[in-house]
Amino acid sequence: GEYRLRVAAADTTGRRGTVDYEFQAGLTDAGPIKLGALMLGYSDAGAFRPRLQFDAAAAEVTAYVEFYVTSEPGTTLSASFEVASGPGGAASPPVAARILSSGDPDRRVATGILAIDRLTPGDYVVRAIFTMNGKAVGAASRTLRKR
């Protein structure tokens, strides 16, 4: 549905401000699957913690995307993550995702840990690529900012 996110802030001198961001929340159709947004963060005692940017000293990032699929018996579903210098840039070797099930029989999670220790500060693109029976069926991407 349609949402509005409002953030308000005040500085130490008492100046205040707000900003609104309106957006459409939903799933992306990718053939036989429906993808949520690709999120980046880190693992903390087994729990995913989202993060918007990473320090220069960060060694790894956890990629996380929820998706929905109803598949026929015998269907092979897999996902991988890669880091690229830009939207069309060359990518790192793919990292196989772990596919986790949930309490909902159609909802699953793809997660993986990507090494970023060799990346210089800047913006990169992380891509999640989904395959079914060896054929690419969908992808999601997110900017990774390393400062």
Side-chain angles (χ1 to χ4, degrees), residues 28-87:
T28 301
D29 282 326
I33 62 177
K34 294 185 184 298
L35 299 172
L38 171 60
M39 296 183 284
L40 303 175
Y42 62 98
S43 291
D44 179 20
F48 176 75
R49 306 283 185 222
R51 177 169 260 164
L52 295 176
Q53 60 185 359
F54 297 83
D55 294 330
E60 60 188 30
V61 60
T62 299
Y64 177 102
V65 62
E66 295 180 0
F67 64 100
Y68 295 81
V69 61
T70 53
S71 56
E72 304 282 327
T75 299
T76 303
L77 176 69
S78 63
S80 61
F81 297 101
E82 60 187 23
V83 179
S85 58

CSV table of all heavy atoms in Angstrom, one decimal, residues 28-87:
chain,number,residue,atom,x,y,z
A,28,THR,N,7.8,-7.2,-5.6
A,28,THR,CA,8.1,-7.2,-7.0
A,28,THR,C,7.9,-8.5,-7.6
A,28,THR,O,8.4,-9.5,-7.1
A,28,THR,CB,9.6,-6.8,-7.2
A,28,THR,OG1,9.8,-5.5,-6.5
A,28,THR,CG2,10.0,-6.7,-8.6
A,29,ASP,N,7.1,-8.5,-8.7
A,29,ASP,CA,6.8,-9.8,-9.4
A,29,ASP,C,8.1,-10.2,-10.2
A,29,ASP,O,8.7,-9.4,-10.9
A,29,ASP,CB,5.7,-9.6,-10.4
A,29,ASP,CG,4.3,-9.7,-9.7
A,29,ASP,OD1,4.2,-10.5,-8.7
A,29,ASP,OD2,3.4,-9.0,-10.1
A,30,ALA,N,8.5,-11.4,-10.0
A,30,ALA,CA,9.7,-11.9,-10.7
A,30,ALA,C,9.4,-13.3,-11.2
A,30,ALA,O,9.8,-14.3,-10.7
A,30,ALA,CB,10.9,-11.9,-9.8
A,31,GLY,N,8.5,-13.4,-12.2
A,31,GLY,CA,8.1,-14.7,-12.7
A,31,GLY,C,7.3,-15.4,-11.6
A,31,GLY,O,6.3,-14.9,-11.0
A,32,PRO,N,7.8,-16.6,-11.3
A,32,PRO,CA,7.1,-17.5,-10.3
A,32,PRO,C,7.3,-17.1,-8.8
A,32,PRO,O,6.7,-17.7,-8.0
A,32,PRO,CB,7.7,-18.9,-10.6
A,32,PRO,CG,9.0,-18.6,-11.1
A,32,PRO,CD,8.9,-17.3,-11.9
A,33,ILE,N,8.1,-16.0,-8.6
A,33,ILE,CA,8.3,-15.6,-7.2
A,33,ILE,C,8.0,-14.1,-7.1
A,33,ILE,O,7.9,-13.4,-8.1
A,33,ILE,CB,9.8,-15.9,-6.8
A,33,ILE,CG1,10.8,-15.1,-7.6
A,33,ILE,CG2,10.1,-17.3,-6.8
A,33,ILE,CD1,12.2,-15.3,-7.1
A,34,LYS,N,7.7,-13.7,-5.9
A,34,LYS,CA,7.5,-12.3,-5.5
A,34,LYS,C,8.6,-11.9,-4.5
A,34,LYS,O,8.7,-12.6,-3.5
A,34,LYS,CB,6.1,-12.1,-5.0
A,34,LYS,CG,5.0,-12.4,-6.0
A,34,LYS,CD,3.7,-12.1,-5.4
A,34,LYS,CE,2.5,-12.4,-6.3
A,34,LYS,NZ,2.5,-11.7,-7.5
A,35,LEU,N,9.3,-10.9,-4.9
A,35,LEU,CA,10.5,-10.4,-4.0
A,35,LEU,C,10.1,-9.2,-3.2
A,35,LEU,O,9.5,-8.3,-3.6
A,35,LEU,CB,11.6,-10.0,-5.0
A,35,LEU,CG,12.2,-11.1,-5.9
A,35,LEU,CD1,13.2,-10.5,-6.8
A,35,LEU,CD2,12.8,-12.2,-5.0
A,36,GLY,N,10.6,-9.3,-1.9
A,36,GLY,CA,10.6,-8.1,-1.1
A,36,GLY,C,11.9,-7.3,-1.4
A,36,GLY,O,12.7,-7.7,-2.3
A,37,ALA,N,12.2,-6.3,-0.7
A,37,ALA,CA,13.3,-5.4,-0.9
A,37,ALA,C,14.6,-6.1,-0.3
A,37,ALA,O,14.5,-6.8,0.7
A,37,ALA,CB,13.2,-4.1,-0.2
A,38,LEU,N,15.7,-6.0,-1.1
A,38,LEU,CA,17.0,-6.5,-0.6
A,38,LEU,C,17.5,-5.5,0.5
A,38,LEU,O,17.5,-4.3,0.3
A,38,LEU,CB,18.0,-6.5,-1.8
A,38,LEU,CG,19.4,-6.8,-1.4
A,38,LEU,CD1,19.6,-8.2,-0.8
A,38,LEU,CD2,20.3,-6.8,-2.7
A,39,MET,N,17.8,-6.1,1.6
A,39,MET,CA,18.3,-5.3,2.7
A,39,MET,C,19.7,-5.7,3.1
A,39,MET,O,20.1,-6.8,2.9
A,39,MET,CB,17.4,-5.5,4.0
A,39,MET,CG,16.0,-5.0,3.8
A,39,MET,SD,15.0,-5.2,5.3
A,39,MET,CE,14.7,-6.9,5.3
A,40,LEU,N,20.5,-4.7,3.5
A,40,LEU,CA,21.9,-5.0,3.9
A,40,LEU,C,22.0,-4.7,5.4
A,40,LEU,O,21.4,-3.8,5.9
A,40,LEU,CB,22.8,-4.1,3.1
A,40,LEU,CG,22.8,-4.3,1.6
A,40,LEU,CD1,23.7,-3.3,0.9
A,40,LEU,CD2,23.1,-5.7,1.2
A,41,GLY,N,22.9,-5.4,6.1
A,41,GLY,CA,23.1,-5.2,7.5
A,41,GLY,C,24.2,-6.1,8.0
A,41,GLY,O,25.1,-6.4,7.3
A,42,TYR,N,24.0,-6.6,9.2
A,42,TYR,CA,24.9,-7.5,9.9
A,42,TYR,C,24.1,-8.4,10.7
A,42,TYR,O,23.0,-8.2,11.1
A,42,TYR,CB,26.0,-6.7,10.6
A,42,TYR,CG,25.5,-5.9,11.8
A,42,TYR,CD1,25.5,-6.4,13.1
A,42,TYR,CD2,24.9,-4.6,11.6
A,42,TYR,CE1,25.0,-5.7,14.1
A,42,TYR,CE2,24.4,-3.9,12.7
A,42,TYR,CZ,24.5,-4.4,13.9
A,42,TYR,OH,24.0,-3.7,15.0
A,43,SER,N,24.8,-9.6,11.1
A,43,SER,CA,24.2,-10.5,12.0
A,43,SER,C,24.6,-10.3,13.4
A,43,SER,O,25.8,-10.1,13.6
A,43,SER,CB,24.6,-12.0,11.6
A,43,SER,OG,23.9,-12.3,10.4
A,44,ASP,N,23.7,-10.3,14.3
A,44,ASP,CA,24.0,-10.1,15.7
A,44,ASP,C,23.3,-11.2,16.5
A,44,ASP,O,22.1,-11.2,16.6
A,44,ASP,CB,23.4,-8.7,16.2
A,44,ASP,CG,23.7,-8.4,17.6
A,44,ASP,OD1,24.6,-9.0,18.2
A,44,ASP,OD2,23.0,-7.5,18.1
A,45,ALA,N,24.1,-12.1,16.9
A,45,ALA,CA,23.6,-13.3,17.7
A,45,ALA,C,22.5,-14.0,16.9
A,45,ALA,O,21.5,-14.4,17.5
A,45,ALA,CB,23.2,-12.9,19.1
A,46,GLY,N,22.7,-14.2,15.6
A,46,GLY,CA,21.7,-14.9,14.8
A,46,GLY,C,20.6,-14.0,14.3
A,46,GLY,O,19.8,-14.5,13.5
A,47,ALA,N,20.5,-12.8,14.7
A,47,ALA,CA,19.4,-11.9,14.3
A,47,ALA,C,19.9,-10.9,13.2
A,47,ALA,O,21.1,-10.4,13.4
A,47,ALA,CB,18.8,-11.1,15.4
A,48,PHE,N,19.2,-10.6,12.2
A,48,PHE,CA,19.6,-9.6,11.2
A,48,PHE,C,19.3,-8.2,11.7
A,48,PHE,O,18.2,-7.9,12.2
A,48,PHE,CB,18.8,-9.9,9.9
A,48,PHE,CG,19.1,-8.9,8.8
A,48,PHE,CD1,20.3,-8.9,8.1
A,48,PHE,CD2,18.2,-7.8,8.6
A,48,PHE,CE1,20.6,-8.0,7.2
A,48,PHE,CE2,18.5,-6.9,7.6
A,48,PHE,CZ,19.7,-7.0,6.9
A,49,ARG,N,20.3,-7.4,11.6
A,49,ARG,CA,20.2,-5.9,12.0
A,49,ARG,C,20.5,-5.1,10.7
A,49,ARG,O,21.6,-5.1,10.2
A,49,ARG,CB,21.2,-5.6,13.0
A,49,ARG,CG,21.2,-6.5,14.3
A,49,ARG,CD,20.0,-6.1,15.1
A,49,ARG,NE,20.0,-6.9,16.4
A,49,ARG,CZ,19.0,-7.4,16.9
A,49,ARG,NH1,17.8,-7.2,16.4
A,49,ARG,NH2,19.0,-8.1,18.0
A,50,PRO,N,19.5,-4.4,10.2
A,50,PRO,CA,19.7,-3.5,9.0
A,50,PRO,C,20.7,-2.4,9.3
A,50,PRO,O,20.8,-1.9,10.4
A,50,PRO,CB,18.4,-3.0,8.7
A,50,PRO,CG,17.4,-3.7,9.5
A,50,PRO,CD,18.1,-4.3,10.7
A,51,ARG,N,21.4,-2.0,8.2
A,51,ARG,CA,22.4,-0.9,8.4
A,51,ARG,C,22.4,-0.2,7.0
A,51,ARG,O,22.3,-0.8,6.0
A,51,ARG,CB,23.8,-1.4,8.7
A,51,ARG,CG,24.8,-0.3,8.8
A,51,ARG,CD,26.1,-0.8,9.4
A,51,ARG,NE,26.0,-0.3,10.7
A,51,ARG,CZ,26.8,-0.8,11.7
A,51,ARG,NH1,27.7,-1.7,11.4
A,51,ARG,NH2,26.8,-0.3,12.9
A,52,LEU,N,22.4,1.2,7.0
A,52,LEU,CA,22.4,2.0,5.8
A,52,LEU,C,23.8,2.2,5.2
A,52,LEU,O,23.9,2.3,4.0
A,52,LEU,CB,21.8,3.3,6.1
A,52,LEU,CG,20.3,3.3,6.5
A,52,LEU,CD1,19.8,4.7,6.8
A,52,LEU,CD2,19.5,2.7,5.4
A,53,GLN,N,24.8,2.3,6.0
A,53,GLN,CA,26.2,2.4,5.5
A,53,GLN,C,27.2,1.7,6.4
A,53,GLN,O,26.9,1.4,7.5
A,53,GLN,CB,26.5,3.9,5.3
A,53,GLN,CG,26.5,4.7,6.5
A,53,GLN,CD,26.8,6.2,6.2
A,53,GLN,OE1,27.0,6.6,5.0
A,53,GLN,NE2,26.8,7.0,7.2
A,54,PHE,N,28.3,1.5,5.8
A,54,PHE,CA,29.3,0.7,6.5
A,54,PHE,C,30.6,1.5,6.6
A,54,PHE,O,31.0,2.1,5.7
A,54,PHE,CB,29.5,-0.7,5.8
A,54,PHE,CG,28.3,-1.5,5.8
A,54,PHE,CD1,27.3,-1.3,4.9
A,54,PHE,CD2,28.1,-2.4,6.8
A,54,PHE,CE1,26.1,-2.0,4.9
A,54,PHE,CE2,26.9,-3.2,6.8
A,54,PHE,CZ,25.9,-3.0,5.8
A,55,ASP,N,31.3,1.3,7.7
A,55,ASP,CA,32.6,2.0,7.9
A,55,ASP,C,33.7,1.4,7.1
A,55,ASP,O,33.5,0.2,6.6
A,55,ASP,CB,33.0,1.9,9.4
A,55,ASP,CG,32.1,2.7,10.3
A,55,ASP,OD1,31.6,3.7,9.9
A,55,ASP,OD2,32.0,2.2,11.5
A,56,ALA,N,34.7,2.1,6.8
A,56,ALA,CA,35.8,1.6,6.0
A,56,ALA,C,36.4,0.3,6.5
A,56,ALA,O,36.9,-0.5,5.8
A,56,ALA,CB,36.9,2.7,5.8
A,57,ALA,N,36.4,0.2,7.8
A,57,ALA,CA,37.0,-1.0,8.4
A,57,ALA,C,36.0,-2.3,8.4
A,57,ALA,O,36.4,-3.4,8.8
A,57,ALA,CB,37.3,-0.7,9.9
A,58,ALA,N,34.8,-2.1,7.9
A,58,ALA,CA,33.9,-3.2,7.9
A,58,ALA,C,34.4,-4.3,7.0
A,58,ALA,O,34.8,-4.1,5.9
A,58,ALA,CB,32.5,-2.8,7.4
A,59,ALA,N,34.4,-5.6,7.5
A,59,ALA,CA,34.9,-6.7,6.8
A,59,ALA,C,33.8,-7.4,6.0
A,59,ALA,O,34.2,-8.1,5.0
A,59,ALA,CB,35.6,-7.7,7.7
A,60,GLU,N,32.6,-7.4,6.4
A,60,GLU,CA,31.5,-8.1,5.7
A,60,GLU,C,30.2,-7.5,5.9
A,60,GLU,O,30.0,-6.6,6.8
A,60,GLU,CB,31.5,-9.6,6.2
A,60,GLU,CG,31.2,-9.7,7.7
A,60,GLU,CD,31.4,-11.2,8.2
A,60,GLU,OE1,32.2,-11.9,7.7
A,60,GLU,OE2,30.6,-11.5,9.2
A,61,VAL,N,29.3,-7.9,5.1
A,61,VAL,CA,27.9,-7.4,5.1
A,61,VAL,C,27.0,-8.6,4.9
A,61,VAL,O,27.3,-9.5,4.2
A,61,VAL,CB,27.7,-6.3,4.0
A,61,VAL,CG1,27.9,-6.8,2.6
A,61,VAL,CG2,26.2,-5.7,4.1
A,62,THR,N,25.9,-8.6,5.6
A,62,THR,CA,24.9,-9.6,5.5
A,62,THR,C,23.8,-9.1,4.5
A,62,THR,O,23.2,-8.0,4.8
A,62,THR,CB,24.3,-10.0,6.8
A,62,THR,OG1,25.3,-10.5,7.7
A,62,THR,CG2,23.2,-11.0,6.7
A,63,ALA,N,23.5,-9.8,3.5
A,63,ALA,CA,22.4,-9.5,2.6
A,63,ALA,C,21.2,-10.4,2.9
A,63,ALA,O,21.3,-11.5,3.3
A,63,ALA,CB,22.8,-9.8,1.1
A,64,TYR,N,20.0,-9.8,2.8
A,64,TYR,CA,18.8,-10.4,3.3
A,64,TYR,C,17.6,-10.0,2.4
A,64,TYR,O,17.4,-8.8,2.2
A,64,TYR,CB,18.6,-10.0,4.8
A,64,TYR,CG,17.3,-10.5,5.4
A,64,TYR,CD1,17.4,-11.5,6.3
A,64,TYR,CD2,16.1,-9.9,5.2
A,64,TYR,CE1,16.2,-11.9,7.0
A,64,TYR,CE2,14.9,-10.3,5.9
A,64,TYR,CZ,15.0,-11.3,6.8
A,64,TYR,OH,13.9,-11.8,7.4
A,65,VAL,N,16.9,-11.0,1.9
A,65,VAL,CA,15.7,-10.6,1.1
A,65,VAL,C,14.6,-11.7,1.4
A,65,VAL,O,14.9,-12.9,1.4
A,65,VAL,CB,16.0,-10.5,-0.4
A,65,VAL,CG1,16.5,-11.8,-1.0
A,65,VAL,CG2,14.8,-10.0,-1.2
A,66,GLU,N,13.4,-11.2,1.6
A,66,GLU,CA,12.3,-12.1,1.8
A,66,GLU,C,11.6,-12.3,0.5
A,66,GLU,O,11.5,-11.4,-0.3
A,66,GLU,CB,11.3,-11.6,2.8
A,66,GLU,CG,11.9,-11.5,4.2
A,66,GLU,CD,10.9,-10.9,5.2
A,66,GLU,OE1,9.7,-10.6,4.9
A,66,GLU,OE2,11.3,-10.8,6.4
A,67,PHE,N,11.1,-13.5,0.2
A,67,PHE,CA,10.4,-13.7,-1.0
A,67,PHE,C,9.3,-14.8,-0.8
A,67,PHE,O,9.3,-15.5,0.2
A,67,PHE,CB,11.4,-14.1,-2.2
A,67,PHE,CG,12.1,-15.4,-1.9
A,67,PHE,CD1,11.7,-16.6,-2.6
A,67,PHE,CD2,13.2,-15.5,-1.1
A,67,PHE,CE1,12.3,-17.8,-2.4
A,67,PHE,CE2,13.9,-16.7,-1.0
A,67,PHE,CZ,13.4,-17.8,-1.6
A,68,TYR,N,8.4,-14.8,-1.8
A,68,TYR,CA,7.3,-15.7,-1.7
A,68,TYR,C,7.2,-16.6,-3.0
A,68,TYR,O,7.4,-16.0,-4.1
A,68,TYR,CB,5.9,-14.9,-1.6
A,68,TYR,CG,5.9,-14.2,-0.3
A,68,TYR,CD1,6.5,-12.9,-0.2
A,68,TYR,CD2,5.2,-14.7,0.8
A,68,TYR,CE1,6.4,-12.2,1.0
A,68,TYR,CE2,5.1,-14.0,2.0
A,68,TYR,CZ,5.8,-12.8,2.1
A,68,TYR,OH,5.7,-12.1,3.3
A,69,VAL,N,7.0,-17.9,-2.8
A,69,VAL,CA,7.0,-18.8,-3.9
A,69,VAL,C,6.2,-20.0,-3.6
A,69,VAL,O,6.1,-20.4,-2.5
A,69,VAL,CB,8.5,-19.2,-4.3
A,69,VAL,CG1,9.1,-20.0,-3.1
A,69,VAL,CG2,8.5,-20.0,-5.6
A,70,THR,N,5.4,-20.4,-4.6
A,70,THR,CA,4.8,-21.7,-4.6
A,70,THR,C,5.4,-22.5,-5.7
A,70,THR,O,5.3,-22.1,-6.9
A,70,THR,CB,3.2,-21.5,-4.7
A,70,THR,OG1,3.0,-20.8,-5.9
A,70,THR,CG2,2.6,-20.8,-3.6
A,71,SER,N,6.0,-23.6,-5.4
A,71,SER,CA,6.7,-24.3,-6.4
A,71,SER,C,6.2,-25.8,-6.5
A,71,SER,O,5.7,-26.3,-5.5
A,71,SER,CB,8.2,-24.3,-6.1
A,71,SER,OG,8.5,-24.8,-4.8
A,72,GLU,N,6.4,-26.3,-7.6
A,72,GLU,CA,6.0,-27.7,-7.9
A,72,GLU,C,7.0,-28.6,-7.2
A,72,GLU,O,8.2,-28.3,-7.0
A,72,GLU,CB,6.0,-28.0,-9.4
A,72,GLU,CG,5.2,-27.1,-10.2
A,72,GLU,CD,3.7,-27.5,-10.1
A,72,GLU,OE1,3.4,-28.7,-10.0
A,72,GLU,OE2,2.9,-26.6,-10.2
A,73,PRO,N,6.6,-29.8,-6.8
A,73,PRO,CA,7.6,-30.8,-6.2
A,73,PRO,C,8.7,-31.0,-7.2
A,73,PRO,O,8.4,-31.1,-8.4
A,73,PRO,CB,6.7,-32.0,-6.0
A,73,PRO,CG,5.3,-31.5,-5.8
A,73,PRO,CD,5.2,-30.3,-6.7
A,74,GLY,N,9.9,-31.1,-6.8
A,74,GLY,CA,11.1,-31.4,-7.6
A,74,GLY,C,11.7,-30.1,-8.2
A,74,GLY,O,12.7,-30.2,-8.9
A,75,THR,N,11.1,-28.9,-7.9
A,75,THR,CA,11.6,-27.7,-8.4
A,75,THR,C,12.9,-27.3,-7.5
A,75,THR,O,12.9,-27.4,-6.3
A,75,THR,CB,10.6,-26.5,-8.2
A,75,THR,OG1,9.5,-26.9,-9.0
A,75,THR,CG2,11.2,-25.2,-8.7
A,76,THR,N,13.9,-26.9,-8.2
A,76,THR,CA,15.2,-26.5,-7.6
A,76,THR,C,15.2,-25.0,-7.6
A,76,THR,O,15.2,-24.3,-8.6
A,76,THR,CB,16.4,-27.1,-8.3
A,76,THR,OG1,16.3,-28.5,-8.3
A,76,THR,CG2,17.7,-26.7,-7.5
A,77,LEU,N,15.2,-24.4,-6.4
A,77,LEU,CA,15.2,-22.9,-6.2
A,77,LEU,C,16.5,-22.6,-5.5
A,77,LEU,O,16.9,-23.2,-4.5
A,77,LEU,CB,14.1,-22.5,-5.4
A,77,LEU,CG,14.0,-21.0,-5.0
A,77,LEU,CD1,13.7,-20.2,-6.3
A,77,LEU,CD2,13.0,-20.7,-4.0
A,78,SER,N,17.2,-21.6,-6.1
A,78,SER,CA,18.5,-21.1,-5.4
A,78,SER,C,18.6,-19.6,-5.6
A,78,SER,O,17.9,-19.0,-6.4
A,78,SER,CB,19.7,-21.8,-6.0
A,78,SER,OG,19.8,-21.5,-7.4
A,79,ALA,N,19.5,-19.0,-4.9
A,79,ALA,CA,19.8,-17.6,-5.0
A,79,ALA,C,21.2,-17.4,-4.7
A,79,ALA,O,21.9,-18.2,-4.0
A,79,ALA,CB,18.9,-16.8,-4.0
A,80,SER,N,21.8,-16.3,-5.2
A,80,SER,CA,23.1,-15.9,-4.9
A,80,SER,C,23.2,-14.4,-4.8
A,80,SER,O,22.3,-13.7,-5.3
A,80,SER,CB,24.1,-16.4,-6.0
A,80,SER,OG,23.7,-15.8,-7.3
A,81,PHE,N,24.3,-13.9,-4.2
A,81,PHE,CA,24.5,-12.5,-4.0
A,81,PHE,C,25.8,-12.1,-4.7
A,81,PHE,O,26.8,-12.9,-4.7
A,81,PHE,CB,24.6,-12.1,-2.5
A,81,PHE,CG,23.3,-12.3,-1.8
A,81,PHE,CD1,23.1,-13.4,-1.0
A,81,PHE,CD2,22.2,-11.4,-1.9
A,81,PHE,CE1,21.9,-13.7,-0.3
A,81,PHE,CE2,21.0,-11.7,-1.3
A,81,PHE,CZ,20.9,-12.8,-0.5
A,82,GLU,N,25.9,-10.9,-5.2
A,82,GLU,CA,27.2,-10.4,-5.8
A,82,GLU,C,27.3,-8.9,-5.5
A,82,GLU,O,26.3,-8.2,-5.3
A,82,GLU,CB,27.3,-10.7,-7.3
A,82,GLU,CG,26.2,-10.1,-8.1
A,82,GLU,CD,26.1,-10.6,-9.5
A,82,GLU,OE1,26.7,-11.6,-9.8
A,82,GLU,OE2,25.6,-9.8,-10.4
A,83,VAL,N,28.5,-8.4,-5.6
A,83,VAL,CA,28.8,-7.0,-5.4
A,83,VAL,C,29.4,-6.5,-6.7
A,83,VAL,O,30.3,-7.1,-7.2
A,83,VAL,CB,29.8,-6.7,-4.2
A,83,VAL,CG1,30.1,-5.2,-4.1
A,83,VAL,CG2,29.2,-7.3,-2.9
A,84,ALA,N,28.9,-5.3,-7.2
A,84,ALA,CA,29.4,-4.7,-8.4
A,84,ALA,C,29.8,-3.3,-8.2
A,84,ALA,O,29.3,-2.7,-7.3
A,84,ALA,CB,28.3,-4.9,-9.5
A,85,SER,N,30.6,-2.8,-9.1
A,85,SER,CA,31.1,-1.4,-9.0
A,85,SER,C,29.9,-0.4,-9.3
A,85,SER,O,30.0,0.8,-9.0
A,85,SER,CB,32.3,-1.2,-9.9
A,85,SER,OG,31.9,-1.5,-11.2
A,86,GLY,N,28.9,-0.8,-10.0
A,86,GLY,CA,27.8,0.0,-10.4
A,86,GLY,C,26.7,-0.8,-11.0
A,86,GLY,O,26.8,-2.1,-11.1
A,87,PRO,N,25.6,-0.2,-11.4
A,87,PRO,CA,24.4,-1.0,-11.9
A,87,PRO,C,24.8,-1.9,-13.0
A,87,PRO,O,24.3,-3.0,-13.1
A,87,PRO,CB,23.5,0.1,-12.4
A,87,PRO,CG,23.8,1.3,-11.6
A,87,PRO,CD,25.3,1.3,-11.4
